[in-house]
Amino acid sequence: MHIDELWEGEMEGVEVGGEKVLLINVDGEVRAYRNRCPHQAWALDEGDFDGQTLTCVRHMWVFDARSGTGVNPDNCRLNSFPCKVDEDGTILVDVG
């Protein structure tokens, strides 16, 4: 995926190396998380992203989109992947 396809405040579910990944553009910085809520593995790209927090549509769990840490409840965390935007604008995700 190219950075021009993921504007600030947007998220997109993609597949990388067989892994379902959620890409989120938070204030111009791209984050990559496993596209599954840690609660019951619901697809996070079906939830809501307000530019700062991500809310799982299934049970309304809320996460800080920049860090992946839980807001409600605060004792959980999204599974993250290292990612960067290459010089040509391609978003690169390392799913290991």
Side-chain angles (χ1 to χ4, degrees), residues 3-92:
I3 189 65
D4 289 344
E5 299 174 74
L6 187 69
W7 293 11
E8 283 187 31
E10 288 188 342
M11 65 178 178
E12 182 75 32
V14 297
E15 191 166 320
V16 178
E19 182 76 47
K20 293 183 186 299
V21 175
L22 179 69
L23 297 175
I24 300 180
N25 188 331
V26 185
D27 296 328
E29 293 185 30
V30 178
R31 300 287 193 254
Y33 300 106
R34 180 168 284 121
N35 192 9
R36 293 285 176 245
C37 180
H39 180 220
Q40 290 187 342
W42 198 259
L44 290 170
D45 65 334
E46 296 178 7
D48 294 313
F49 176 48
D50 67 6
Q52 299 299 315
T53 60
L54 172 64
T55 303
C56 179
V57 71
R58 184 69 172 182
H59 295 108
M60 308 311 283
W61 282 32
V62 181
F63 303 90
D64 181 302
R66 185 175 301 282
S67 66
T69 57
V71 175
N72 184 26
D74 62 3
N75 63 346
C76 61
R77 164 176 284 286
L78 296 177
N79 295 314
S80 64
F81 298 108
C83 75
K84 68 177 187 174
V85 179
D86 205 4
E87 291 177 12
D88 70 356
T90 302
I91 300 170
L92 305 173

